[in-house]
Amino acid sequence: MRFYCFKLGCVLFFSVFVSVTWITSVPRDGGSTVLPDLQNLYERLLVAEELGGQVSRDLSSILEQLRNISKAPNITSLTSNATNSTNSISTETIRQLTNGSGQQMILQPNIYLYLPHLRQYPDSLLPNVVLGQGRSGVSMVLGIPTVKREKQSYLVNTLNSLLYSLTSSQRQDLLIIVFVAETDSQYVGSIAEIIRKNFPKEVQSGLLEVVSPPQYYYPDFSSLTETFGDSKDRVKWRTKQNLDFSFLMLYAQDKGTYYVQLEDDVIAKSSYYTDMKAYTNQRASMQWLYLEFSQLGFIGKMFRTRDLPMIAEFFLMFHRDKPIDWLLDHILWVKVCNPEKDAKHCNAQKAQLKQRHKPSLFQHVGLHSSLPGKQQLLKDKDFGKQTLYLAHNNPTAEVSSSLKHYQQHSLDRAYKGQDFFWALTPTKNDYILFTFPQPIHVSGYLFRSGNIETSGDKLYNTTVEVLPSNASARDKLVNGSSSAYKQSDKGFIIIGTFENGIAEGEIEEGLQPISAIRLVVHTDADVWAVLSEILIKV
């Protein structure tokens, strides 16, 4: 900017200098040439005056730009990159900046055009990260906006549904952001505390984050125009929802490769993570704007994070005008529809930018909408029935247990992939045993407890143990000075434990071949136990 001002100043100086030179070059001896020369000089002065006016207007424009920038939150003091190049602000749609405290600021220059009140508050774009470890670089980010509801809250059930079936490796490659879309700090703190108490390990590991908007993020909603027959309350609700989704998208844009928009009153299929990863990998090279994993509203829409700045800016541009799902469809129309073609052609073109996965992986379960007084009865017909167990082709084995099963949900049926094992309340030293007719090579294992309908019926403080057929090799491994294994009873060796209801691992070559695998409960439980997946890898 300074260099540009210097250039304009030089032009102005040069114009004045040329004008003075012309004046001094006029002949002083009079004669017939004086009048023509004076006329010529007059014309040149008019040109110089016009040029000077243009320079003045340019300088005024520059000063106005400087005033606008100075009104924005002290951008130049937040990062050295911003001070080095003024063009960087206009060429980057979104930039993450940090203030003196090291917190991230969401900066989108055009946001001040759509939300001009933000200019008055220096921290108006600074997310309030209540819980989080700053996780980034994951494959998938799930965004869940939540608001204060007059009746029932579904948030904890939604999080349980999303978390219960995840393996340890999946937990490391995922980020779930709960965006508490309220400026009441006490309410935000109460939601954070509920999440901290219910999911302490997920918060500590960085899998779960809780974020809220700054105090002055939302504009005055009293001047909104009622459109499409909606009441004033509904117009305010849908307008705020547009702003909520936009803020959450901008916050999540640099956290991972894909972003999935959810709501706080949904349940997920147990295989949602693997199904979404597989579907996305199949379409990684295709041109699409979003993938649909639910047919309802904005639930289960997946975007590439690199597209989020453009999408959020579109939502901000028209946040007062239409609901969020309508605006998303308008983006498709703007991108591919030809006004000279009919609706059929337009729909065919839009279908290329959105592709839908069947069956749906998310189901809306909330009865009471976040809009006060509204009941939401919509259900996704393509969701189907929940899968309460996962079947695998396991090696032949004799199964036994000290646990008593409920009704037909026996361990034998679960091992054969016909049902889940549902046992009455486990007590200390209860066990589940898989004995092979002959010792076999087992490369790994996966045991998953609980299911989508009984997410609390898990195995706690339970170990995974193996019985190597080679006693001398077993003793050598256990008694070694650097051994990571612990001896159990009856020749079994402890190789793993249940965490968050799941036990998963590999069995090293020194323990092979294996004669039996055993699960042992070490403390009395308060609830029943469900074993919904048994996988013994050979």
Side-chain angles (χ1 to χ4, degrees), residues 420-527:
F420 56 90
F421 176 48
W422 199 0
L424 305 185
T425 308
T427 59
K428 184 177 180 180
N429 296 324
D430 272 334
Y431 67 89
I432 297 172
L433 180 63
F434 308 96
T435 304
F436 307 113
Q438 298 293 331
I440 62 173
H441 186 285
V442 180
S443 61
Y445 60 89
L446 170 63
F447 299 102
R448 189 189 309 275
S449 61
N451 61 31
I452 197 66
E453 291 187 353
T454 57
S455 59
D457 290 359
K458 297 180 180 179
L459 289 171
Y460 300 96
N461 198 13
T462 301
T463 55
V464 180
E465 305 175 0
V466 295
L467 178 63
S469 62
N470 190 331
S472 60
R474 174 194 66 204
D475 295 339
K476 185 177 180 180
L477 277 172
V478 172
N479 298 326
S481 58
S482 60
S483 175
Y485 299 111
K486 292 183 179 180
Q487 183 81 43
S488 185
D489 62 342
K490 299 181 181 179
F492 280 87
I493 297 175
I494 300 174
I495 62 170
T497 186
F498 276 77
E499 295 184 5
N500 298 305
I502 298 175
E504 180 183 21
E506 297 178 352
I507 303 177
E508 70 172 71
E509 191 62 34
L511 296 172
Q512 307 292 345
I514 302 298
S515 296
I517 297 178
R518 184 174 69 176
L519 310 181
V520 179
V521 180
H522 295 278
T523 56
D524 293 347
D526 298 324
V527 294

Side-chain angles (χ1 to χ4, degrees), residues 324-347:
I324 192 83
D325 48 339
W326 292 12
L327 293 179
L328 180 61
D329 184 72
H330 289 341
I331 295 178
L332 299 179
W333 193 96
V334 170
K335 277 183 167 291
V336 296
C337 288
N338 187 339
E340 299 179 355
K341 302 284 187 177
D342 59 14
K344 182 178 179 181
H345 180 270
C346 179
N347 290 333

Side-chain angles (χ1 to χ4, degrees), residues 279 283 287-292 301-302 325 328-329 332 346-357:
Y279 192 73
R283 287 155 179 77
Q287 296 298 319
W288 48 266
L289 181 65
Y290 63 89
L291 303 178
E292 295 184 282
K301 304 299 184 285
M302 174 187 280
D325 48 339
L328 180 61
D329 184 72
L332 299 179
C346 179
N347 290 333
Q349 294 300 306
K350 290 193 295 185
Q352 297 179 16
L353 292 186
K354 61 175 183 178
Q355 300 181 34
R356 186 167 164 223
H357 178 277

